[in-house]
């Protein structure tokens, strides 16, 4: 079941990647991106602002993921699914 959800979210992100990257490139400081499934909206958040709202465990994982993505010319995209109470992050090559 969890694998199906992960694949579903990856597909959603890939289907919106052009719009995600268009918004991403409007900001000079590599924002963290978020796609909200229910709202069908893409958000770009400054890194520092975004991690302030995370619990300690999520914060540590996000810091590590973000730094690795920056070093490897990648983008971190979160997908929020309020209906299923999920917030998951993915890293994609730019």
């Amino acid at each position: 079941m969890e694998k199906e959800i992960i694949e579903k979210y990856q597909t959603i992100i890939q289907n919106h990647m052009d719009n995600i990257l268009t918004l991403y490139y409007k900001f000079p400081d590599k924002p963290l991106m978020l796609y909200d499934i229910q709202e069908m909206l893409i958000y770009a958040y400054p890194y520092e602002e975004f991690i302030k709202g995370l619990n300690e465990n999520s914060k540590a994982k996000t810091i590590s993921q973000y730094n690795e993505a920056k070093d490897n010319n990648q983008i971190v995209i979160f997908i929020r699914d309020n209906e299923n109470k999920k917030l998951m992050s993915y890293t994609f090559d730019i």
Side-chain angles (χ1 to χ4, degrees), residues 37 42 48 50-51 70 83:
I37 289 179
I42 302 164
E48 294 291 333
F50 190 87
I51 64 170
K70 277 184 17 180
E83 204 171 272

Side-chain angles (χ1 to χ4, degrees), residues 1-13 20 32-38 43 45 50 54 58 61-62 65 75-82 84-92:
M1 176 73 172
E2 189 71 23
K3 183 179 179 185
E4 291 172 4
I5 291 172
I6 290 170
E7 289 174 358
K8 172 187 168 187
Y9 292 162
Q10 286 176 326
T11 300
I12 290 169
I13 290 170
I20 290 169
L32 287 167
M33 304 303 295
L34 182 139
Y35 180 78
D36 187 294
I37 289 179
Q38 282 73 37
Y43 297 90
Y45 289 97
F50 190 87
L54 299 175
S58 294
K61 288 179 183 177
T62 301
Q65 184 178 14
I75 182 174
V76 177
I77 305 169
F78 282 81
I79 192 156
R80 179 171 53 208
D81 182 354
N82 289 326
N84 293 302
K85 298 180 180 168
K86 297 277 187 190
L87 178 67
M88 300 182 72
S89 64
Y90 296 86
T91 303
F92 289 89

Side-chain angles (χ1 to χ4, degrees), residues 41-77:
L41 292 174
I42 302 164
Y43 297 90
Y45 289 97
Y47 166 75
E48 294 291 333
E49 179 183 320
F50 190 87
I51 64 170
K52 284 181 185 177
L54 299 175
N55 65 41
E56 290 305 313
N57 186 39
S58 294
K59 187 181 292 189
K61 288 179 183 177
T62 301
I63 290 169
S64 176
Q65 184 178 14
Y66 180 79
N67 287 330
E68 186 174 328
K70 277 184 17 180
D71 291 344
N72 294 301
N73 197 32
Q74 296 173 316
I75 182 174
V76 177
I77 305 169

